[in-house]
Amino acid sequence: MVYGSTKMENRRFVKRPLKKEEPDNMVFGTRAVIETIKSGKTVERIFLQKDLKNDLTKELVELLRGSMVTVSKVPVEKLNRLTRKNHQGVVAFVSPIDFVTLHNIVANSYENGLAPLVLILDRVTDVRNFGAICRSAECAGVNGVVIPTKGGAMINSDAVKTSAGALSYLPICKEDSLTHSVKYLKDSGFQIVACTEKTDKKVFEADLSVPTAIIMGSEEDGISEELLQVADEKLMIPIVGQIDSLNVSVAAGVILFESMRQRG
């Protein structure tokens, strides 16, 4: 006797690939993307096929001129991985939130009558880390979060979900140059604090009750040297275990709640 299934039975249990579904915030097709931008919706990122040249593409590029939308020119294979439908060389992702200006964050912070607290995320690319950081920031009373126009996590439904809704309340600002943003905050009366292991001073030894902007670095290599050089304070979180570093979202929570403790 042979133990096993017949050919018919084998066919019955063959796994077929699931049909790929586009995210709710994806828009594809040149005209569709153009109309989305014209409608006033906040577009988070656009993937544009390399060397794509036609009248509609020129109209799109002209519409984006001077905007803060991140545009990545990619091979068509990248677009085909994003969607199997007729994308015409253009795929966009609409942000679930509206961004604010850094000037508004600063002005509104001081109008509250309390020492403002701003968080700067230098190339934090993991969406779930970003969402978790924003959740802690909102709970800790942060007045606004500053992220780079390029090189940061995409703000999508995963980010909103991980933030537990905090992104609906927390002002987010996108800046072309974080270095210029830091200098502007300095001129506005903020002390600049870099959370880094490249120091001996602990977060508990600094005065975080004054107007403060805290910089958290990327998951890969921390805070860029350029931002470290313009920081007023470099602070570290003491660690006594065998692992010599914390996840960036956990580290952000530690320093943010130390700041809240000092502010009473």
Tab-separated table of all heavy atoms in Angstrom, residues 179 182-183 186 192 194 215 223-234:
chain	number	residue	atom	x	y	z
A	179	THR	N	19.408	71.213	10.059
A	179	THR	CA	20.419	72.132	10.601
A	179	THR	C	19.874	73.556	10.641
A	179	THR	O	20.035	74.264	11.651
A	179	THR	CB	21.703	72.087	9.752
A	179	THR	OG1	22.186	70.743	9.702
A	179	THR	CG2	22.781	72.977	10.349
A	182	VAL	N	17.325	73.775	13.439
A	182	VAL	CA	17.954	73.886	14.759
A	182	VAL	C	18.431	75.312	15.005
A	182	VAL	O	18.247	75.860	16.104
A	182	VAL	CB	19.129	72.885	14.869
A	182	VAL	CG1	20.022	73.220	16.058
A	182	VAL	CG2	18.601	71.470	15.006
A	183	LYS	N	19.024	75.928	14.008
A	183	LYS	CA	19.495	77.313	14.161
A	183	LYS	C	18.325	78.260	14.392
A	183	LYS	O	18.419	79.208	15.187
A	183	LYS	CB	20.306	77.724	12.927
A	183	LYS	CG	21.641	76.989	12.825
A	183	LYS	CD	22.398	77.371	11.560
A	183	LYS	CE	23.735	76.623	11.498
A	183	LYS	NZ	24.479	76.918	10.248
A	186	LYS	N	17.250	77.826	17.957
A	186	LYS	CA	18.202	78.510	18.832
A	186	LYS	C	17.902	80.001	18.888
A	186	LYS	O	17.876	80.616	19.967
A	186	LYS	CB	19.633	78.294	18.322
A	186	LYS	CG	20.319	77.055	18.848
A	186	LYS	CD	21.807	77.116	18.532
A	186	LYS	CE	22.559	76.008	19.219
A	186	LYS	NZ	24.020	76.148	19.058
A	192	ILE	N	19.307	73.370	22.574
A	192	ILE	CA	19.300	72.200	21.702
A	192	ILE	C	20.007	71.050	22.412
A	192	ILE	O	21.177	71.162	22.775
A	192	ILE	CB	19.989	72.501	20.355
A	192	ILE	CG1	19.420	73.788	19.732
A	192	ILE	CG2	19.830	71.321	19.410
A	192	ILE	CD1	17.936	73.755	19.451
A	194	ALA	N	21.073	67.012	22.271
A	194	ALA	CA	21.263	65.819	21.460
A	194	ALA	C	21.324	64.604	22.372
A	194	ALA	O	22.142	64.557	23.294
A	194	ALA	CB	22.548	65.927	20.646
A	215	ILE	N	16.948	66.262	20.099
A	215	ILE	CA	17.231	65.556	18.845
A	215	ILE	C	17.429	64.071	19.126
A	215	ILE	O	18.222	63.699	19.986
A	215	ILE	CB	18.500	66.102	18.159
A	215	ILE	CG1	18.430	67.618	17.991
A	215	ILE	CG2	18.699	65.425	16.798
A	215	ILE	CD1	19.719	68.231	17.460
A	223	ILE	N	22.673	60.383	15.628
A	223	ILE	CA	22.535	61.770	15.174
A	223	ILE	C	23.697	62.124	14.255
A	223	ILE	O	24.853	61.786	14.524
A	223	ILE	CB	22.506	62.727	16.386
A	223	ILE	CG1	21.309	62.397	17.284
A	223	ILE	CG2	22.449	64.184	15.938
A	223	ILE	CD1	21.307	63.143	18.605
A	224	SER	N	23.406	62.835	13.179
A	224	SER	CA	24.450	63.227	12.236
A	224	SER	C	25.439	64.177	12.911
A	224	SER	O	25.093	64.928	13.824
A	224	SER	CB	23.840	63.911	11.004
A	224	SER	OG	23.200	65.116	11.377
A	225	GLU	N	26.674	64.125	12.447
A	225	GLU	CA	27.744	64.949	13.038
A	225	GLU	C	27.418	66.438	12.935
A	225	GLU	O	27.737	67.221	13.834
A	225	GLU	CB	29.065	64.643	12.327
A	225	GLU	CG	30.288	65.194	13.035
A	225	GLU	CD	30.478	64.613	14.427
A	225	GLU	OE1	30.168	63.424	14.626
A	225	GLU	OE2	30.928	65.366	15.318
A	226	GLU	N	26.782	66.816	11.846
A	226	GLU	CA	26.440	68.219	11.636
A	226	GLU	C	25.499	68.735	12.735
A	226	GLU	O	25.655	69.851	13.240
A	226	GLU	CB	25.787	68.394	10.262
A	226	GLU	CG	25.559	69.848	9.856
A	226	GLU	CD	24.993	69.961	8.455
A	226	GLU	OE1	24.514	68.942	7.923
A	226	GLU	OE2	25.034	71.067	7.897
A	227	LEU	N	24.522	67.920	13.129
A	227	LEU	CA	23.596	68.322	14.183
A	227	LEU	C	24.246	68.245	15.560
A	227	LEU	O	23.954	69.057	16.440
A	227	LEU	CB	22.342	67.456	14.137
A	227	LEU	CG	21.404	67.686	12.954
A	227	LEU	CD1	20.224	66.723	13.008
A	227	LEU	CD2	20.907	69.122	12.918
A	228	LEU	N	25.136	67.264	15.759
A	228	LEU	CA	25.837	67.172	17.037
A	228	LEU	C	26.663	68.418	17.307
A	228	LEU	O	26.772	68.887	18.442
A	228	LEU	CB	26.754	65.940	17.046
A	228	LEU	CG	26.082	64.576	17.262
A	228	LEU	CD1	27.106	63.453	17.102
A	228	LEU	CD2	25.431	64.514	18.634
A	229	GLN	N	27.228	68.973	16.250
A	229	GLN	CA	28.097	70.131	16.405
A	229	GLN	C	27.336	71.389	16.829
A	229	GLN	O	27.906	72.264	17.484
A	229	GLN	CB	28.855	70.394	15.102
A	229	GLN	CG	29.933	69.349	14.800
A	229	GLN	CD	30.621	69.593	13.476
A	229	GLN	OE1	30.312	70.550	12.763
A	229	GLN	NE2	31.550	68.720	13.114
A	230	VAL	N	26.068	71.482	16.476
A	230	VAL	CA	25.304	72.693	16.818
A	230	VAL	C	24.473	72.511	18.089
A	230	VAL	O	23.782	73.432	18.519
A	230	VAL	CB	24.380	73.115	15.656
A	230	VAL	CG1	25.200	73.541	14.455
A	230	VAL	CG2	23.419	71.998	15.281
A	231	ALA	N	24.561	71.326	18.714
A	231	ALA	CA	23.800	71.079	19.948
A	231	ALA	C	24.444	71.803	21.125
A	231	ALA	O	25.670	71.891	21.235
A	231	ALA	CB	23.737	69.587	20.228
A	232	ASP	N	23.595	72.334	22.021
A	232	ASP	CA	24.096	72.984	23.233
A	232	ASP	C	24.468	71.955	24.294
A	232	ASP	O	25.382	72.173	25.091
A	232	ASP	CB	23.022	73.927	23.801
A	232	ASP	CG	22.632	75.005	22.813
A	232	ASP	OD1	23.529	75.696	22.310
A	232	ASP	OD2	21.418	75.147	22.538
A	233	GLU	N	23.731	70.860	24.333
A	233	GLU	CA	23.964	69.795	25.311
A	233	GLU	C	23.955	68.442	24.609
A	233	GLU	O	23.156	68.203	23.701
A	233	GLU	CB	22.866	69.787	26.375
A	233	GLU	CG	22.888	70.980	27.313
A	233	GLU	CD	23.739	70.711	28.549
A	233	GLU	OE1	24.621	69.828	28.491
A	233	GLU	OE2	23.522	71.388	29.560
A	234	LYS	N	24.865	67.562	25.037
A	234	LYS	CA	24.862	66.173	24.582
A	234	LYS	C	24.604	65.313	25.813
A	234	LYS	O	25.390	65.350	26.768
A	234	LYS	CB	26.186	65.807	23.919
A	234	LYS	CG	26.502	66.606	22.664
A	234	LYS	CD	27.833	66.153	22.063
A	234	LYS	CE	28.196	66.988	20.846
A	234	LYS	NZ	28.515	68.380	21.194
